[in-house]
Structures are given as C-alpha cells and as structure tokens.
Amino acid sequence: MVPYLDRVSRVFDDVRVQLLTTAVAASAITAGAIWGAQSARRAKRTRKLKRDAVDMFDFDSDVEPAYIGGDLDSKQLAHTSQVVTKHTQVLLTPNEEALIREQLARHYAFFGEKGMAHVRDSFVVVVGAGGVGSWAALMLLRSGVQRIRIIDFDQVTLSSLNRHAAATRANVGIPKVTALRMNFAEIAPHARVEACSSLFSAENAPDLLAGEPDYVLDCIDNMDTKLELLAYCSHNGIQVISAMGAGMKSDPSRVQIADISDTFEDPMSRTVRRRLKMLGIQSGIKVVYSIEKPGKVQLLSLADSQKESPGDFSVLPDFRVRIVPVLGTMPAMFGIAMGTHVLTELASFPTEPLATKGRHALYVRLMRDLGNREQRRPQTEGGAQLQMNTDDCGYVLEEIWHGKSALSGATDRLALTRWERNKPMTTSNCVCMTKDEADKHDTLTGCPKDHYPSETVAFIEKRFEQEKQLSFVR
C-alpha cells in the first residue's frame, strides 16, 4: 500500500500533472457555472412567461385561469355561458403569441401564414359533444381555431369514456361541454370556448347559431334534430358538414366525405337525403359517412322491464332508447375527418374528397358486360333474367366481394356473372370473377359444386348468406 501511495505522490509532484489537474478542475467549475446560469435564466424566463399569461387573463375578464382543472364552483359554472362570436377578441401578449406560434409550428409550415391567419380568425360551432363532436372540436382547437361554441345538452357517463376525446372518470355527471371546456383551457388557454349546455331545436337555432360562424359541424345523433340543424344552415347560407352514423361500424377504409346527394349504401345517409329533399334541399351539404354495412352487430335489446313503456327510459322525448354498439375508434375517425375538412376549407387549402361513387364508371361497365352475358343465356336457362341495376352492381362488387374475384382474389379486369345458371341473376346469385374466369364459368354445365373446390364453394355460399342479411338494411 505504501509503495503505491509513494508512486501517486511522485506523479502529483510533477509540475505538468499539477497544471493539467488545475486546468481540468477550472474547466469543470466554469462548465458548472455556465450550466447553472443557463438553468437560472430558463427558470426566470419560464416564470415570466407564466406571469405574462396570467396577466393576459387579468385584463381579459372572459377567461379565468382558475377554471383550469379542479372542482367547479358556482362562479366557474356561470363562466361557461360567456358568449363567443366571430368578433370576440383574443388578446395576446407578445410572449403568449410566441408560445402559440411554436405550438402551431407544423400547421404554419403546412398552411402558411395566410392560411393560418384564416384558421385563427375563424369562428366554428360544434353541435353535439359526444364521440364525434368532441374529437372534431378538440382537433380544431389544437389546430389553431380560437373561437369555438360547443352545444350539447347531455352529461358525461361512464359509457361515454370509450369514445369521448377529453372526458375522464372525474368528469362523470357534469355536462359534456363543460368537460371539453376544462380540457381545452389546459391546451389553449387563450382560446375563447363557449360551452352551451342546451338541446338544439328549430326554435333556438337563431340564438345557438348566432355570431356569424364560418362553419357549423353537425355531430347530432337524433334524426329530427339533425334535420332541423341542416335545414336551418342550408336556408341561411351557413356552411355545414354533417356526420352520419358511426355506430355499428368497424372498417376505417370505408369512411367517406361526399355531398349528401352522392351518398349511397348507408341507411342513415339515405334517410337524411330523402327527408332533406322533402324540405327542398337536394345538395350542398357535405357529410362524413361510411359505406360499410352495419349488419355485423345489432342494436341491444330492451330489457323486459322497458318493453311495455320504452319512451319512459329515453333521455328526452323522441330520443332513442335502444343502445347502439359503438367501437370507440370509429366516432373519433368521423370527428377527425370532419375537423380536417373544415380546417382545409377555412385555410383555403385545395382538397377534393374522393367519394366511392368515383367508381361509377366501373359499375356502368360491369352492368353493360353483365347485360351482354345475360343476353347470351339460352332459353333452357330461362333466358335473360337480369333483375339488377348499376347501383346493384356497385353493391355486389364492393359490399359482397370487396372488389375482388371470388376465385382468385384478383382485382383487375373484373366481371359479374351468375353463380348458378338455373337461377335468375340477382344480388344473391351474382359472383365476381375476372373476365377470363367468368368466360370459363359460363361454359360450365351442372352445379358449381361439381367444378370448384369445396373451400371455394363454402366461401361463396357464406358470402351469399351475408348478402341476405345485408339486404334487410339496404
């Protein structure tokens, strides 16, 4: 041990080692001092920014930082009724503006200064704060919309938490609009958010849609109320986008944005379209909808105690009683799709939603080819018995066969033809194949089971069984 200490002592007796040690120690002290000074400056700047943000709220009485989080007292609940309009001022200090621009940096890079100016100057009304509306409103706020009015009469329930954008267990029992406003204050405290815990109706439409909104988002799930909102917007020249039913849907690839006049294969869209026509509205309303058939799951049945007087168990008169099964991700997709469309419209960013009806030319070709095949049917097979139209061809291709050949799974050069030659050509006897496969199939005699593998026959017959179920909601 002693020899080791002697060697160490001799090393540090060397003048060069002493100089080197001194330099390292001085560098460490200097680095520590610089880091400490920078940390102190950052902490000081953070305190200043927070103080400036609070100062901003001190001179703007419409927003109170105390509302962010925590329990709601009577003063805070009254604050939710503050009115927001197109001309409501959003007062910002230079530091707060710098924070917001950093928060929205990616959107500024996308839309540019002019586009973001339009977005931030806009006023948007979201009617319905459930699974669809909460996500639409949230993404509009996160994207820079600074004036938002949210309208909904309902309260947060435990069953809301599988699809609501902001609600937590702590929010159960309070209005959905209040839960959103509390959450929004933590994300963008400068934004002017009006929370209206009201049921929309034709009678209060002039008040609830006042203030010159740039866009209205219809996220209502009651048919009569939805139609009242759409009719009011259409007749008063207010831009509106409407969400059709997201319940009982599970395929995100089927979500579409189109004019209401171009929708198809969606029961709710068809009902809305027909009832709007009765009100003199043919087109001009954009909708988010799904072409997926809702036949995989069914409405939950009423309990025995509810069947005698079901109306007694609805939230409000004329509102649905039976529960719609909802996969929580689907309302979110509808809401985000709506928000995206509204943002691009506000920013004057060119988009052209491609509705599935863009494949109409393909359906026309399939119909023409199918007609030619039927004309060649001999009388021994009943001759031409075509009981389908162009829309039916699109339905068969997309819904039953998913745009693929039933035999090979190919997606090119498709054709439709009878599966069993001795039965009429209907949607439940129409199979999708490639043209070559269909030409060969049309030459076969006897039952298809005699010519195809049992797995192929079972697959096709299963699809026909599914079609029988889908036909009930078509």
Side-chain angles (χ1 to χ4, degrees), residues 283-294:
S283 61
I285 295 176
K286 284 287 194 301
V287 299
V288 176
Y289 76 110
S290 171
I291 61 173
E292 177 186 5
K293 284 294 181 184

Side-chain angles (χ1 to χ4, degrees), residues 67 72 77 80 129-130 150-157 160 164 167-168 170-182 195-198:
Y67 187 74
L72 296 176
L77 283 172
T80 63
I150 311 170
I151 303 168
D152 198 309
F153 72 94
D154 207 359
Q155 296 179 335
V156 177
T157 63
S160 305
H164 200 274
T168 66
N171 300 141
V172 172
I174 70 173
K176 291 179 178 178
V177 293
T178 302
L180 280 175
R181 193 179 193 287
M182 292 168 62
C196 296
S197 186
S198 303

Side-chain angles (χ1 to χ4, degrees), residues 195-405:
C196 296
S197 186
S198 303
L199 174 65
F200 183 90
S201 66
E203 290 72 24
N204 61 18
D207 294 328
L208 292 179
L209 299 183
E212 303 177 36
D214 295 287
Y215 234 105
V216 171
L217 286 78
D218 162 35
C219 307
I220 301 172
D221 56 7
N222 176 265
M223 181 62 68
D224 292 336
T225 311
K226 178 182 290 290
L227 289 165
E228 289 177 348
L229 172 61
L230 296 178
Y232 183 88
C233 290
S234 178
H235 294 152
N236 289 275
I238 301 174
Q239 289 196 91
V240 62
I241 183 170
S242 178
M244 300 292 104
M248 304 168 68
K249 307 293 178 70
S250 61
D251 188 349
S253 68
R254 305 296 185 94
V255 179
Q256 302 281 320
I257 298 178
D259 189 273
I260 185 63
S261 62
D262 292 329
T263 57
F264 77 118
E265 296 301 346
D266 176 49
M268 186 172 183
S269 297
R270 180 173 62 250
T271 301
V272 171
R273 185 174 64 247
R274 289 175 176 174
R275 292 185 62 176
L276 284 176
K277 285 183 178 179
M278 295 173 64
L279 299 173
I281 302 170
Q282 301 282 343
S283 61
I285 295 176
K286 284 287 194 301
V287 299
V288 176
Y289 76 110
S290 171
I291 61 173
E292 177 186 5
K293 284 294 181 184
K296 298 177 184 177
V297 294
Q298 303 296 325
L299 290 172
L300 299 188
S301 299
L302 293 173
D304 292 338
S305 61
Q306 295 175 313
K307 291 179 179 178
E308 185 174 348
S309 301
D312 295 342
F313 296 90
S314 62
V315 178
L316 289 171
D318 300 324
F319 273 62
R320 68 164 184 257
V321 180
R322 298 178 68 184
I323 297 174
V324 177
V326 179
L327 182 62
T329 52
M330 293 304 292
M333 291 192 65
F334 274 54
I336 292 174
M338 294 177 78
T340 302
H341 180 78
V342 170
L343 284 171
T344 56
E345 290 283 296
L346 294 174
S348 300
F349 189 86
T351 59
E352 296 181 11
L354 180 62
T356 301
K357 273 203 169 180
R359 289 164 65 89
H360 185 72
L362 170 61
Y363 307 152
V364 171
R365 182 187 64 75
L366 289 174
M367 182 66 190
R368 183 170 58 248
D369 178 74
L370 182 58
N372 292 334
R373 291 179 185 276
E374 284 299 301
Q375 290 298 325
R376 295 194 294 267
R377 296 285 178 189
Q379 290 300 320
T380 56
E381 298 176 5
Q385 298 184 37
L386 187 58
Q387 300 176 16
M388 294 168 54
N389 57 31
T390 302
D391 287 341
D392 292 328
C393 288
Y395 163 74
V396 168
L397 176 68
E398 308 290 1
E399 294 296 331
I400 302 178
W401 304 109
H402 299 177
K404 300 176 182 178
S405 164

Side-chain angles (χ1 to χ4, degrees), residues 56-57 60 62-64 67-68 79 82 84-85 88-92 96 100 103-104 120 122 137-138 140-150 180-181 183-195:
M56 176 189 70
F57 290 114
D60 190 350
D62 280 352
V63 181
E64 302 173 18
Y67 187 74
I68 302 176
H79 176 61
Q82 295 294 323
V84 177
T85 72
T88 298
Q89 286 189 326
V90 180
L91 301 175
L92 301 170
E96 182 69 4
I100 295 169
Q103 189 171 330
L104 299 173
R120 293 183 63 182
S122 65
L138 174 65
L140 289 172
L141 176 93
R142 287 188 179 277
S143 301
V145 176
Q146 299 179 140
R147 301 171 187 83
I148 302 176
R149 180 182 299 152
I150 311 170
L180 280 175
R181 193 179 193 287
N183 178 263
F184 287 6
E186 296 181 358
I187 299 169
H190 66 284
R192 327 303 277 159
V193 180
E194 180 184 354

